[in-house]
Amino acid sequence: MTNEKNLIGLFEESQPHLRAVAYRMLGSRSEADDAVQETWLRLSRAETSEVENLRGWLTTVVARVCLDMLRSRKARAEDGDVVPEEATSNAEDEAVLADSVSIALLVVLETLEPVERLAFVLHDLFGVSFDEIAPIVGRSEVAARQLASRARRRVRGAPERDEAELARQHDVVKALLGALRAGDVEAVVAVLDPNVVVHGGGAGGRAREIRSVRNLARSAVAFARTAHAFDAVEPALVDGAVGAIYASGGRLSRAVRLTFGEGVITRIDVIDDEDGLKTLEIATLG
């Protein structure tokens, strides 16, 4: 395996598998790509002449990289930072991840501790043995089994989510953001209930009476046109439903919690105060 050309070829063969592992670990395409790139860098610097199972070796490396990233993400989240997932992808990316975890499972995985998530993903989703997982998480084989078992119970015990409904909500939010970016007032109106209720200016903000949903749409379009870095607004799961977050520079400063009915948005809650943001459960989406 010392031949660089052969090494590159073997890595490229393993790359779809590594991206799948990283995506399930991180729930983010962009972060998964970063993890795979870091794995390649470590491979290029490592002595692999004695490695008999390069795929297994690479799986271990990408898992360690992802664990470090999860721990870093958790530390940033505790400081109030959120790194949103990129909304763009290409057809090849989607094909590679076509059989990936559902939105609902990703939400549950976000609730796990980094070592629990690693043990569960590697063992239950990829069949990695616990004697291989143990040194990655720095625990005994028995402890690694316990981590996966605990994660499994939390996954199975999580409230069932209607995946089809989440997908419909996601489509509505993407349509809303697309319409705002395009300045299409009528397209904004199309995704809003005529009697939509808006709460703003913090978690306890008063409801605003909407006399004309079209006027609301015009105001929203005008705001989107003048707001700096509106591209930093991304779809996200906010308290279990699809909403949106504004995280310019990776720092969460505003979240939009949405309520849906009959395929349209019936209520909009804008949370932009620090205390209110800390109470929200947020998971980023692509």
Side-chain angles (χ1 to χ4, degrees):
M1 294 185 189
T2 56
N3 183 285
E4 183 177 355
K5 186 175 181 179
N6 289 341
L7 199 63
I8 293 173
L10 291 168
F11 177 79
E12 289 178 346
E13 288 178 10
S14 299
Q15 196 166 351
H17 165 73
L18 298 176
R19 290 188 73 242
V21 172
Y23 180 70
R24 287 161 174 80
M25 283 287 297
L26 300 168
S28 162
R29 286 188 297 272
S30 60
E31 288 188 345
D33 287 340
D34 290 343
V36 172
Q37 178 63 26
E38 176 62 24
T39 301
W40 162 250
L41 293 175
R42 296 190 185 189
L43 172 63
S44 65
R45 296 193 296 260
E47 173 53 59
T48 57
S49 58
E50 302 299 322
V51 175
E52 296 181 1
N53 180 1
L54 185 64
R55 183 185 175 97
W57 186 90
L58 289 170
T59 300
T60 297
V61 173
V62 79
R64 291 182 187 277
V65 171
C66 289
L67 183 58
D68 289 342
M69 294 173 72
L70 285 173
R71 285 169 170 162
S72 176
R73 179 196 295 174
K74 182 181 179 182
R76 294 198 307 275
E78 290 173 348
D79 290 335
D81 292 340
V82 174
V83 179
E85 164 62 358
E86 295 174 342
T88 58
S89 63
N90 57 43
E92 183 180 359
D93 289 336
E94 296 299 336
V96 170
L97 300 174
D99 64 342
S100 64
V101 291
S102 67
I103 293 176
L105 181 54
L106 280 177
V107 174
V108 178
L109 291 178
E110 287 289 338
T111 68
L112 303 178
E113 290 297 315
V115 288
E116 292 176 341
R117 185 165 180 167
L118 184 145
F120 174 79
V121 168
L122 289 187
H123 181 268
D124 286 43
L125 302 186
F126 291 95
V128 178
S129 65
F130 286 114
D131 63 328
E132 295 175 278
I133 294 173
I136 299 175
V137 296
R139 311 283 181 89
S140 67
E141 182 178 339
V142 172
R145 288 179 181 275
Q146 291 174 340
L147 288 172
S149 178
R150 189 185 311 142
R152 198 177 301 118
R153 287 195 301 270
R154 293 177 68 177
V155 169
R156 291 174 179 172
E160 290 189 7
R161 296 175 184 267
D162 187 336
E163 184 67 19
E165 175 59 24
L166 285 174
R168 285 191 289 270
Q169 293 176 7
H170 198 192
D171 288 341
V172 171
V173 173
K174 287 190 293 184
L176 173 61
L177 295 181
L180 289 172
R181 291 187 175 107
D184 190 336
V185 172
E186 295 305 317
V188 174
V189 171
V191 297
L192 298 177
D193 186 276
N195 299 310
V196 61
V197 175
V198 179
H199 285 253
R206 293 183 178 180
R208 286 160 45 194
E209 181 181 356
I210 305 303
R211 297 184 181 277
S212 168
V213 70
R214 186 163 277 98
N215 286 343
L216 172 64
R218 291 194 185 101
S219 296
V221 166
F223 173 78
R225 284 173 175 165
T226 58
H228 295 295
F230 185 74
D231 285 343
V233 178
E234 299 291 351
L237 276 159
V238 181
D239 284 348
V242 181
I245 59 171
Y246 178 82
S248 181
R251 179 85 180 178
L252 178 66
S253 59
R254 179 173 297 179
V256 179
R257 183 172 55 208
L258 301 175
T259 303
F260 297 82
E262 303 298 328
V264 293
I265 297 167
T266 60
R267 173 176 169 136
I268 302 171
D269 289 279
V270 180
I271 300 95
D272 55 11
D273 63 297
E274 186 175 348
D275 291 338
L277 290 171
K278 288 180 179 179
T279 68
L280 301 176
E281 293 184 4
I282 294 175
T284 57
L285 299 172

